[in-house]
Amino acid sequence: MTSRDKGEAPFGVLLHRQLKLIHQMLRSDLEVCRRLAEEVAAGAPAAEVADQIVALQTRSPIWTLQVNCLYHCRVVHAHHGHEDADMFPALRRSNPDLSAVVDKLEADHRAISDLLDDVEDSSKELDDTPVNPARQRLVTALARLEEDLLTHLAFEEESIASTMRAWEQWPRG
């Protein structure tokens, strides 16, 4: 059975694959940020944390953690903004039966936005002081973000897959 036999179109299949690829990158980045935050919260020596961060060369591992977390938060905000502005209206136009699903996804985006703000605020308060309440706040914020974001990504990928994969082109309104 080909993808055409399942009501799938090459454009939609490619678009859904791209969505899943972006989601996988978000999952990966989130795991790195969470792990680093836990190590910082546990008082890991700065040199050990710095050794784990290959992508950036800086003098302060705390600064690198902040930059990585803030970058991740901005990427998620931007990704969700594009979905809210473009993809969700296209889903509603092409499959009105998905309205409740899209409503949930939009509500998830608002809740995740608040969690991203918590991560950003906590990461900005980090310094090299081993006992800093911001360290535990960041770990807690990232744990909540991880749980909610991973659940959201899985729900989104599954619930919109068949509609998205059937698109011959971008549904216009």
Side-chain angles (χ1 to χ4, degrees):
M1 179 179 275
T2 68
S3 63
R4 275 280 193 216
D5 296 332
K6 295 189 262 179
E8 295 181 338
F11 173 81
V13 170
L14 178 62
L15 196 62
H16 187 247
R17 284 183 186 154
Q18 288 175 338
L19 176 74
K20 290 177 75 171
L21 176 63
I22 292 166
H23 285 182
Q24 187 53 45
M25 288 187 280
L26 296 176
R27 288 178 179 105
S28 237
D29 288 349
L30 183 59
E31 173 61 25
V32 169
C33 288
R34 185 195 54 75
R35 183 179 40 79
L36 288 172
E38 286 177 352
E39 291 176 16
V40 169
E48 286 180 25
V49 175
D51 288 343
Q52 296 182 47
I53 301 169
V54 178
L56 293 174
Q57 298 294 321
T58 68
R59 292 178 295 165
S60 169
I62 300 300
W63 180 85
T64 302
L65 173 65
Q66 289 171 333
V67 168
N68 283 322
C69 285
L70 294 175
Y71 176 75
H72 175 74
C73 291
R74 288 186 179 101
V75 167
V76 175
H77 276 303
H79 172 68
H80 284 175
H82 290 300
E83 287 181 342
D84 290 342
D86 297 321
M87 189 174 75
F88 291 167
L91 285 166
R92 287 182 194 277
R93 286 191 299 273
S94 64
N95 185 352
D97 291 339
L98 282 179
S99 274
V101 168
V102 173
D103 289 345
K104 180 188 177 345
L105 293 172
E106 290 172 334
D108 286 354
H109 283 187
R110 289 188 297 275
I112 289 167
S113 179
D114 290 343
L115 293 173
L116 291 167
D117 291 344
D118 288 346
V119 169
E120 288 185 48
D121 293 344
S122 297
S123 70
K124 289 175 184 175
E125 295 174 16
L126 287 179
D127 59 28
D128 284 320
T129 308
V131 180
N132 177 341
R135 290 175 179 255
Q136 188 54 49
R137 280 197 311 275
L138 178 58
V139 172
T140 300
L142 280 166
R144 290 179 49 224
L145 175 62
E146 180 180 37
E147 180 178 337
D148 290 4
L149 184 55
L150 293 177
T151 299
H152 165 78
L153 296 176
F155 175 75
E156 181 177 87
E157 290 169 1
E158 180 63 31
S159 63
I160 67 173
S162 62
T163 296
M164 181 180 275
R165 293 173 73 90
W167 287 348
E168 299 276 345
Q169 62 185 5
W170 195 258
R172 302 284 177 215

